[in-house]
mmCIF file of all heavy atoms in Angstrom:
data_model
loop_
_atom_site.group_PDB
_atom_site.id
_atom_site.type_symbol
_atom_site.label_atom_id
_atom_site.label_comp_id
_atom_site.label_asym_id
_atom_site.label_seq_id
_atom_site.Cartn_x
_atom_site.Cartn_y
_atom_site.Cartn_z
ATOM 1 N N PRO A 434 68.133 17.203 234.594
ATOM 2 C CA PRO A 434 67.614 16.984 235.950
ATOM 3 C C PRO A 434 66.362 16.103 236.014
ATOM 4 O O PRO A 434 65.951 15.698 237.102
ATOM 5 C CB PRO A 434 67.288 18.411 236.437
ATOM 6 C CG PRO A 434 68.123 19.309 235.579
ATOM 7 C CD PRO A 434 68.142 18.642 234.249
ATOM 8 N N LEU A 435 65.736 15.816 234.861
ATOM 9 C CA LEU A 435 64.491 15.061 234.851
ATOM 10 C C LEU A 435 64.748 13.556 234.969
ATOM 11 O O LEU A 435 65.767 13.041 234.507
ATOM 12 C CB LEU A 435 63.708 15.343 233.571
ATOM 13 C CG LEU A 435 63.346 16.806 233.307
ATOM 14 C CD1 LEU A 435 62.619 16.938 231.970
ATOM 15 C CD2 LEU A 435 62.490 17.368 234.429
ATOM 16 N N SER A 436 63.811 12.841 235.568
ATOM 17 C CA SER A 436 63.914 11.389 235.723
ATOM 18 C C SER A 436 63.631 10.692 234.396
ATOM 19 O O SER A 436 62.752 11.113 233.637
ATOM 20 C CB SER A 436 62.915 10.907 236.769
ATOM 21 O OG SER A 436 62.797 9.496 236.739
ATOM 22 N N PRO A 437 64.342 9.586 234.095
ATOM 23 C CA PRO A 437 64.029 8.794 232.901
ATOM 24 C C PRO A 437 62.588 8.297 232.875
ATOM 25 O O PRO A 437 62.050 8.024 231.809
ATOM 26 C CB PRO A 437 65.010 7.615 233.001
ATOM 27 C CG PRO A 437 66.177 8.167 233.752
ATOM 28 C CD PRO A 437 65.572 9.105 234.767
ATOM 29 N N THR A 438 61.954 8.179 234.043
ATOM 30 C CA THR A 438 60.567 7.706 234.083
ATOM 31 C C THR A 438 59.587 8.735 233.533
ATOM 32 O O THR A 438 58.440 8.413 233.268
ATOM 33 C CB THR A 438 60.156 7.356 235.529
ATOM 34 O OG1 THR A 438 60.259 8.527 236.353
ATOM 35 C CG2 THR A 438 61.025 6.262 236.095
ATOM 36 N N ALA A 439 60.046 9.990 233.373
ATOM 37 C CA ALA A 439 59.175 11.045 232.845
ATOM 38 C C ALA A 439 59.502 11.413 231.403
ATOM 39 O O ALA A 439 58.794 12.214 230.798
ATOM 40 C CB ALA A 439 59.291 12.301 233.721
ATOM 41 N N MET A 440 60.569 10.838 230.844
ATOM 42 C CA MET A 440 60.998 11.176 229.494
ATOM 43 C C MET A 440 60.227 10.365 228.452
ATOM 44 O O MET A 440 59.893 9.193 228.678
ATOM 45 C CB MET A 440 62.500 10.932 229.335
ATOM 46 C CG MET A 440 63.351 11.707 230.330
ATOM 47 S SD MET A 440 63.119 13.492 230.207
ATOM 48 C CE MET A 440 63.777 13.789 228.575
ATOM 49 N N GLU A 441 59.979 10.975 227.303
ATOM 50 C CA GLU A 441 59.215 10.302 226.254
ATOM 51 C C GLU A 441 60.017 9.230 225.524
ATOM 52 O O GLU A 441 59.486 8.184 225.160
ATOM 53 C CB GLU A 441 58.705 11.324 225.231
ATOM 54 C CG GLU A 441 57.698 12.321 225.769
ATOM 55 C CD GLU A 441 58.335 13.574 226.338
ATOM 56 O OE1 GLU A 441 59.573 13.567 226.558
ATOM 57 O OE2 GLU A 441 57.607 14.553 226.560
ATOM 58 N N ALA A 442 61.313 9.504 225.275
ATOM 59 C CA ALA A 442 62.141 8.598 224.485
ATOM 60 C C ALA A 442 62.660 7.434 225.315
ATOM 61 O O ALA A 442 63.044 7.604 226.480
ATOM 62 C CB ALA A 442 63.320 9.356 223.879
ATOM 63 N N ILE A 443 62.697 6.240 224.720
ATOM 64 C CA ILE A 443 63.223 5.072 225.404
ATOM 65 C C ILE A 443 64.714 5.242 225.687
ATOM 66 O O ILE A 443 65.205 4.838 226.749
ATOM 67 C CB ILE A 443 62.964 3.797 224.577
ATOM 68 C CG1 ILE A 443 61.458 3.492 224.559
ATOM 69 C CG2 ILE A 443 63.742 2.605 225.141
ATOM 70 C CD1 ILE A 443 61.078 2.313 223.697
ATOM 71 N N ASP A 444 65.444 5.855 224.731
ATOM 72 C CA ASP A 444 66.858 6.115 224.991
ATOM 73 C C ASP A 444 67.058 7.426 225.740
ATOM 74 O O ASP A 444 68.153 7.984 225.788
ATOM 75 C CB ASP A 444 67.686 6.071 223.705
ATOM 76 C CG ASP A 444 67.207 7.042 222.644
ATOM 77 O OD1 ASP A 444 66.226 7.757 222.896
ATOM 78 O OD2 ASP A 444 67.835 7.094 221.562
ATOM 79 N N VAL A 445 65.999 7.926 226.332
ATOM 80 C CA VAL A 445 65.938 8.988 227.333
ATOM 81 C C VAL A 445 66.266 10.371 226.756
ATOM 82 O O VAL A 445 65.378 11.032 226.214
ATOM 83 C CB VAL A 445 66.819 8.687 228.559
ATOM 84 C CG1 VAL A 445 66.543 9.694 229.681
ATOM 85 C CG2 VAL A 445 66.539 7.273 229.084
ATOM 86 N N TYR A 446 67.503 10.822 226.846
ATOM 87 C CA TYR A 446 67.822 12.212 226.549
ATOM 88 C C TYR A 446 68.278 12.398 225.108
ATOM 89 O O TYR A 446 68.679 11.443 224.434
ATOM 90 C CB TYR A 446 68.902 12.719 227.504
ATOM 91 C CG TYR A 446 68.567 12.490 228.960
ATOM 92 C CD1 TYR A 446 69.347 11.647 229.746
ATOM 93 C CD2 TYR A 446 67.460 13.092 229.549
ATOM 94 C CE1 TYR A 446 69.040 11.415 231.077
ATOM 95 C CE2 TYR A 446 67.156 12.869 230.873
ATOM 96 C CZ TYR A 446 67.935 12.029 231.641
ATOM 97 O OH TYR A 446 67.622 11.805 232.951
ATOM 98 N N SER A 447 68.244 13.649 224.648
ATOM 99 C CA SER A 447 68.710 13.965 223.306
ATOM 100 C C SER A 447 70.218 13.754 223.207
ATOM 101 O O SER A 447 70.927 13.664 224.217
ATOM 102 C CB SER A 447 68.369 15.419 222.966
ATOM 103 O OG SER A 447 69.160 16.303 223.735
ATOM 104 N N GLU A 448 70.729 13.692 221.972
ATOM 105 C CA GLU A 448 72.163 13.493 221.758
ATOM 106 C C GLU A 448 72.977 14.638 222.364
ATOM 107 O O GLU A 448 74.033 14.417 222.963
ATOM 108 C CB GLU A 448 72.461 13.379 220.261
ATOM 109 C CG GLU A 448 71.887 12.144 219.609
ATOM 110 C CD GLU A 448 72.498 10.857 220.164
ATOM 111 O OE1 GLU A 448 73.734 10.768 220.226
ATOM 112 O OE2 GLU A 448 71.731 9.956 220.524
ATOM 113 N N SER A 449 72.498 15.858 222.208
ATOM 114 C CA SER A 449 73.233 17.014 222.726
ATOM 115 C C SER A 449 73.263 17.023 224.245
ATOM 116 O O SER A 449 74.297 17.328 224.860
ATOM 117 C CB SER A 449 72.616 18.314 222.194
ATOM 118 O OG SER A 449 71.213 18.314 222.337
ATOM 119 N N VAL A 450 72.160 16.660 224.885
ATOM 120 C CA VAL A 450 72.126 16.596 226.354
ATOM 121 C C VAL A 450 73.040 15.480 226.853
ATOM 122 O O VAL A 450 73.799 15.654 227.812
ATOM 123 C CB VAL A 450 70.684 16.385 226.847
ATOM 124 C CG1 VAL A 450 70.663 16.072 228.346
ATOM 125 C CG2 VAL A 450 69.833 17.612 226.561
ATOM 126 N N THR A 451 72.986 14.323 226.199
ATOM 127 C CA THR A 451 73.822 13.194 226.596
ATOM 128 C C THR A 451 75.305 13.550 226.528
ATOM 129 O O THR A 451 76.093 13.181 227.410
ATOM 130 C CB THR A 451 73.539 11.978 225.697
ATOM 131 O OG1 THR A 451 72.161 11.636 225.790
ATOM 132 C CG2 THR A 451 74.366 10.773 226.130
ATOM 133 N N PHE A 452 75.704 14.283 225.487
ATOM 134 C CA PHE A 452 77.107 14.642 225.303
ATOM 135 C C PHE A 452 77.535 15.775 226.244
ATOM 136 O O PHE A 452 78.563 15.687 226.909
ATOM 137 C CB PHE A 452 77.334 15.064 223.853
ATOM 138 C CG PHE A 452 78.767 15.329 223.495
ATOM 139 C CD1 PHE A 452 79.595 14.312 223.064
ATOM 140 C CD2 PHE A 452 79.298 16.610 223.599
ATOM 141 C CE1 PHE A 452 80.921 14.549 222.734
ATOM 142 C CE2 PHE A 452 80.623 16.864 223.280
ATOM 143 C CZ PHE A 452 81.441 15.831 222.840
ATOM 144 N N LEU A 453 76.743 16.838 226.313
ATOM 145 C CA LEU A 453 77.173 18.057 226.999
ATOM 146 C C LEU A 453 77.008 18.011 228.519
ATOM 147 O O LEU A 453 77.662 18.765 229.230
ATOM 148 C CB LEU A 453 76.422 19.266 226.431
ATOM 149 C CG LEU A 453 76.725 19.595 224.964
ATOM 150 C CD1 LEU A 453 75.811 20.709 224.463
ATOM 151 C CD2 LEU A 453 78.184 19.987 224.777
ATOM 152 N N THR A 454 76.146 17.148 229.029
ATOM 153 C CA THR A 454 75.936 17.083 230.481
ATOM 154 C C THR A 454 76.702 15.945 231.139
ATOM 155 O O THR A 454 76.631 15.772 232.358
ATOM 156 C CB THR A 454 74.444 16.926 230.819
ATOM 157 O OG1 THR A 454 73.984 15.652 230.343
ATOM 158 C CG2 THR A 454 73.616 18.032 230.189
ATOM 159 N N GLY A 455 77.425 15.156 230.346
ATOM 160 C CA GLY A 455 78.203 14.062 230.925
ATOM 161 C C GLY A 455 77.412 12.796 231.149
ATOM 162 O O GLY A 455 77.781 11.979 231.990
ATOM 163 N N CYS A 456 76.326 12.605 230.393
ATOM 164 C CA CYS A 456 75.539 11.381 230.557
ATOM 165 C C CYS A 456 76.224 10.161 229.934
ATOM 166 O O CYS A 456 75.786 9.046 230.167
ATOM 167 C CB CYS A 456 74.155 11.562 229.938
ATOM 168 S SG CYS A 456 73.063 12.620 230.895
ATOM 169 N N GLY A 457 77.261 10.388 229.101
ATOM 170 C CA GLY A 457 77.990 9.209 228.674
ATOM 171 C C GLY A 457 78.639 9.205 227.312
ATOM 172 O O GLY A 457 79.485 8.365 227.047
ATOM 173 N N SER A 458 78.279 10.111 226.383
ATOM 174 C CA SER A 458 78.811 9.982 225.028
ATOM 175 C C SER A 458 80.051 10.826 224.759
ATOM 176 O O SER A 458 80.556 10.829 223.648
ATOM 177 C CB SER A 458 77.719 10.340 224.006
ATOM 178 O OG SER A 458 77.307 11.687 224.152
ATOM 179 N N ASP A 459 80.560 11.564 225.753
ATOM 180 C CA ASP A 459 81.779 12.341 225.596
ATOM 181 C C ASP A 459 82.962 11.529 226.123
ATOM 182 O O ASP A 459 83.137 11.386 227.331
ATOM 183 C CB ASP A 459 81.671 13.668 226.349
ATOM 184 C CG ASP A 459 82.922 14.530 226.219
ATOM 185 O OD1 ASP A 459 83.827 14.139 225.457
ATOM 186 O OD2 ASP A 459 82.981 15.580 226.871
ATOM 187 N N PRO A 460 83.819 10.986 225.234
ATOM 188 C CA PRO A 460 84.932 10.145 225.686
ATOM 189 C C PRO A 460 85.914 10.880 226.594
ATOM 190 O O PRO A 460 86.567 10.241 227.434
ATOM 191 C CB PRO A 460 85.612 9.729 224.378
ATOM 192 C CG PRO A 460 84.550 9.870 223.330
ATOM 193 C CD PRO A 460 83.725 11.044 223.762
ATOM 194 N N LEU A 461 86.042 12.193 226.442
ATOM 195 C CA LEU A 461 86.987 12.940 227.268
ATOM 196 C C LEU A 461 86.651 12.825 228.751
ATOM 197 O O LEU A 461 87.548 12.822 229.601
ATOM 198 C CB LEU A 461 86.994 14.421 226.874
ATOM 199 C CG LEU A 461 87.548 14.771 225.485
ATOM 200 C CD1 LEU A 461 87.360 16.261 225.216
ATOM 201 C CD2 LEU A 461 89.017 14.394 225.376
ATOM 202 N N MET A 462 85.370 12.739 229.075
ATOM 203 C CA MET A 462 84.934 12.712 230.470
ATOM 204 C C MET A 462 84.412 11.347 230.921
ATOM 205 O O MET A 462 84.283 11.092 232.111
ATOM 206 C CB MET A 462 83.830 13.757 230.699
ATOM 207 C CG MET A 462 84.261 15.181 230.397
ATOM 208 S SD MET A 462 85.717 15.709 231.336
ATOM 209 C CE MET A 462 85.066 15.687 232.997
ATOM 210 N N GLY A 463 84.089 10.468 229.957
ATOM 211 C CA GLY A 463 83.557 9.164 230.317
ATOM 212 C C GLY A 463 82.115 9.256 230.797
ATOM 213 O O GLY A 463 81.476 10.303 230.710
ATOM 214 N N VAL A 464 81.598 8.146 231.320
ATOM 215 C CA VAL A 464 80.214 8.098 231.785
ATOM 216 C C VAL A 464 80.100 8.764 233.150
ATOM 217 O O VAL A 464 80.703 8.314 234.121
ATOM 218 C CB VAL A 464 79.707 6.651 231.866
ATOM 219 C CG1 VAL A 464 78.265 6.627 232.355
ATOM 220 C CG2 VAL A 464 79.810 5.974 230.501
ATOM 221 N N GLN A 465 79.327 9.850 233.211
ATOM 222 C CA GLN A 465 79.121 10.566 234.473
ATOM 223 C C GLN A 465 77.674 10.468 234.965
ATOM 224 O O GLN A 465 77.351 10.925 236.053
ATOM 225 C CB GLN A 465 79.471 12.042 234.292
ATOM 226 C CG GLN A 465 80.910 12.297 233.898
ATOM 227 C CD GLN A 465 81.189 13.783 233.734
ATOM 228 O OE1 GLN A 465 80.367 14.633 234.049
ATOM 229 N NE2 GLN A 465 82.358 14.109 233.225
ATOM 230 N N TYR A 466 76.797 9.901 234.153
ATOM 231 C CA TYR A 466 75.383 9.779 234.490
ATOM 232 C C TYR A 466 74.744 11.140 234.769
ATOM 233 O O TYR A 466 73.735 11.223 235.477
ATOM 234 C CB TYR A 466 75.179 8.851 235.692
ATOM 235 C CG TYR A 466 75.669 7.447 235.454
ATOM 236 C CD1 TYR A 466 76.946 7.060 235.855
ATOM 237 C CD2 TYR A 466 74.863 6.507 234.813
ATOM 238 C CE1 TYR A 466 77.412 5.767 235.633
ATOM 239 C CE2 TYR A 466 75.325 5.212 234.587
ATOM 240 C CZ TYR A 466 76.595 4.843 235.001
ATOM 241 O OH TYR A 466 77.045 3.570 234.778
ATOM 242 N N GLY A 467 75.346 12.209 234.238
ATOM 243 C CA GLY A 467 74.785 13.551 234.436
ATOM 244 C C GLY A 467 74.856 14.025 235.874
ATOM 245 O O GLY A 467 74.140 14.942 236.263
ATOM 246 N N ARG A 468 75.760 13.417 236.664
ATOM 247 C CA ARG A 468 75.847 13.726 238.097
ATOM 248 C C ARG A 468 77.276 14.088 238.469
ATOM 249 O O ARG A 468 78.230 13.773 237.768
ATOM 250 C CB ARG A 468 75.361 12.539 238.929
ATOM 251 C CG ARG A 468 73.871 12.233 238.751
ATOM 252 C CD ARG A 468 73.498 10.931 239.430
ATOM 253 N NE ARG A 468 72.050 10.752 239.516
ATOM 254 C CZ ARG A 468 71.316 10.159 238.579
ATOM 255 N NH1 ARG A 468 71.887 9.705 237.463
ATOM 256 N NH2 ARG A 468 70.012 10.026 238.733
ATOM 257 N N ASP A 469 77.410 14.728 239.634
ATOM 258 C CA ASP A 469 78.729 15.151 240.087
ATOM 259 C C ASP A 469 78.686 15.420 241.588
ATOM 260 O O ASP A 469 77.611 15.482 242.198
ATOM 261 C CB ASP A 469 79.150 16.413 239.342
ATOM 262 C CG ASP A 469 80.660 16.584 239.267
ATOM 263 O OD1 ASP A 469 81.375 15.824 239.950
ATOM 264 O OD2 ASP A 469 81.116 17.480 238.548
ATOM 265 N N LEU A 470 79.849 15.574 242.171
ATOM 266 C CA LEU A 470 79.978 15.903 243.597
ATOM 267 C C LEU A 470 80.131 17.404 243.761
ATOM 268 O O LEU A 470 80.915 18.037 243.045
ATOM 269 C CB LEU A 470 81.203 15.209 244.184
ATOM 270 C CG LEU A 470 81.059 13.711 244.462
ATOM 271 C CD1 LEU A 470 82.422 13.043 244.466
ATOM 272 C CD2 LEU A 470 80.362 13.479 245.791
ATOM 273 N N GLY A 471 79.372 17.975 244.703
ATOM 274 C CA GLY A 471 79.499 19.410 244.897
ATOM 275 C C GLY A 471 78.492 19.998 245.863
ATOM 276 O O GLY A 471 77.878 19.292 246.673
ATOM 277 N N LEU A 472 78.326 21.296 245.732
ATOM 278 C CA LEU A 472 77.459 22.090 246.602
ATOM 279 C C LEU A 472 76.501 22.892 245.726
ATOM 280 O O LEU A 472 76.894 23.417 244.680
ATOM 281 C CB LEU A 472 78.303 23.032 247.456
ATOM 282 C CG LEU A 472 77.578 24.045 248.339
ATOM 283 C CD1 LEU A 472 76.904 23.341 249.515
ATOM 284 C CD2 LEU A 472 78.562 25.105 248.845
ATOM 285 N N ALA A 473 75.252 23.015 246.161
ATOM 286 C CA ALA A 473 74.261 23.779 245.404
ATOM 287 C C ALA A 473 73.403 24.613 246.339
ATOM 288 O O ALA A 473 73.155 24.221 247.488
ATOM 289 C CB ALA A 473 73.369 22.851 244.579
ATOM 290 N N VAL A 474 72.952 25.746 245.855
ATOM 291 C CA VAL A 474 71.918 26.537 246.522
ATOM 292 C C VAL A 474 70.800 26.738 245.510
ATOM 293 O O VAL A 474 71.058 26.997 244.332
ATOM 294 C CB VAL A 474 72.453 27.892 247.034
ATOM 295 C CG1 VAL A 474 73.439 27.683 248.148
ATOM 296 C CG2 VAL A 474 73.076 28.704 245.923
ATOM 297 N N PHE A 475 69.557 26.587 245.953
ATOM 298 C CA PHE A 475 68.429 26.728 245.032
ATOM 299 C C PHE A 475 67.200 27.191 245.794
ATOM 300 O O PHE A 475 67.144 27.152 247.037
ATOM 301 C CB PHE A 475 68.147 25.406 244.312
ATOM 302 C CG PHE A 475 67.796 24.260 245.228
ATOM 303 C CD1 PHE A 475 66.485 23.992 245.587
ATOM 304 C CD2 PHE A 475 68.799 23.439 245.739
ATOM 305 C CE1 PHE A 475 66.168 22.933 246.424
ATOM 306 C CE2 PHE A 475 68.499 22.381 246.580
ATOM 307 C CZ PHE A 475 67.180 22.134 246.921
ATOM 308 N N GLY A 476 66.207 27.628 245.040
ATOM 309 C CA GLY A 476 64.966 28.081 245.652
ATOM 310 C C GLY A 476 63.996 28.586 244.609
ATOM 311 O O GLY A 476 64.296 28.611 243.408
ATOM 312 N N GLU A 477 62.823 28.993 245.079
ATOM 313 C CA GLU A 477 61.811 29.549 244.191
ATOM 314 C C GLU A 477 61.078 30.696 244.875
ATOM 315 O O GLU A 477 60.939 30.723 246.098
ATOM 316 C CB GLU A 477 60.838 28.475 243.740
ATOM 317 C CG GLU A 477 60.077 27.776 244.852
ATOM 318 C CD GLU A 477 59.161 26.687 244.324
ATOM 319 O OE1 GLU A 477 59.652 25.800 243.604
ATOM 320 O OE2 GLU A 477 57.947 26.732 244.636
#
C-alpha cells in the first residue's frame, strides 16, 4: 500500500512483495501493479 516515493529501494518493493501482491513477477497473474477492482471497508 505504500507509495514508491516513500520506499528506500530504487527497485521499490522486496521480491516476495512483488511476487505475492501482483506487482509483476508472477507469470500466472501478469502485471497487476499491486492493484485490483473491488470494495473495501476500513477505519481506525
Side-chain angles (χ1 to χ4, degrees):
L435 302 178
S436 168
T438 61
M440 303 301 295
E441 295 89 346
I443 291 176
D444 57 0
V445 190
Y446 308 116
S447 70
E448 293 296 310
S449 48
V450 170
T451 302
F452 186 88
L453 295 174
T454 66
C456 287
S458 62
D459 180 6
L461 293 175
M462 300 303 295
V464 180
Q465 299 180 8
Y466 299 95
R468 294 171 168 89
D469 205 350
L470 284 156
L472 174 72
V474 293
F475 60 90
E477 60 182 55

